[in-house]
């Protein structure tokens, strides 16, 4: 699971959290490649939320933002797989 928290002030830092508590379960169920890719995908998802915030293009409609983040996530994770895997 991941979380992006935008700061309340432009002088504060944004916070991105990614938990790896399910890694051992994912490792057993999916194997190392997919377990590690899952953690990378979670981090990427939260970084995209951060990028939207930095660019001041955040959405009022949370569902629309999540849809856009998932589209960008799929695009970038596939580019990563093609290039590095």
């Amino acid at each position: 699971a991941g979380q992006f928290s935008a700061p309340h002030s432009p002088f504060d830092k944004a916070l991105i959290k990614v938990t790896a508590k399910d890694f051992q379960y994912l490792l057993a169920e999916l194997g190392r490649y997919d377990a590690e890719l899952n953690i990378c995908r979670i981090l990427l998802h939260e970084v995209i939320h951060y990028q939207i915030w930095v660019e001041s293009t955040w959405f009022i409609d949370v569902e629309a933002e999540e849809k856009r983040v998932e589209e960008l996530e799929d695009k970038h994770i596939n580019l990563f797989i093609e290039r590095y895997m």
Side-chain angles (χ1 to χ4, degrees), residues 9 11 14 43 55 57 69-70 74 78 80 84:
S9 161
F11 302 106
L43 177 59
E55 294 173 353
T57 57
V69 168
E70 288 173 3
D74 286 341
N78 286 326
F80 175 81
Y84 298 108

Side-chain angles (χ1 to χ4, degrees), residues 51-58:
Q51 190 65 38
I52 288 171
W53 177 79
V54 166
E55 294 173 353
S56 299
T57 57
W58 57 82

Side-chain angles (χ1 to χ4, degrees), residues 4-63:
F4 165 69
S5 297
H8 298 289
S9 161
F11 302 106
D12 293 333
K13 295 178 183 174
L15 178 67
I16 292 177
K17 293 181 181 180
V18 174
T19 180
K21 69 178 182 167
D22 296 331
F23 183 73
Q24 292 303 318
Y25 170 79
L26 294 171
L27 190 61
E29 291 293 313
L30 305 174
R32 179 163 296 280
Y33 174 83
D34 286 328
E36 290 175 352
L37 192 60
N38 181 271
I39 299 297
C40 290
R41 190 173 195 122
I42 293 168
L43 177 59
L44 174 61
H45 184 96
E46 301 311 326
V47 167
I48 293 170
H49 277 295
Y50 170 74
Q51 190 65 38
I52 288 171
W53 177 79
V54 166
E55 294 173 353
S56 299
T57 57
W58 57 82
F59 293 69
I60 292 174
D61 181 352
V62 175
E63 290 179 18

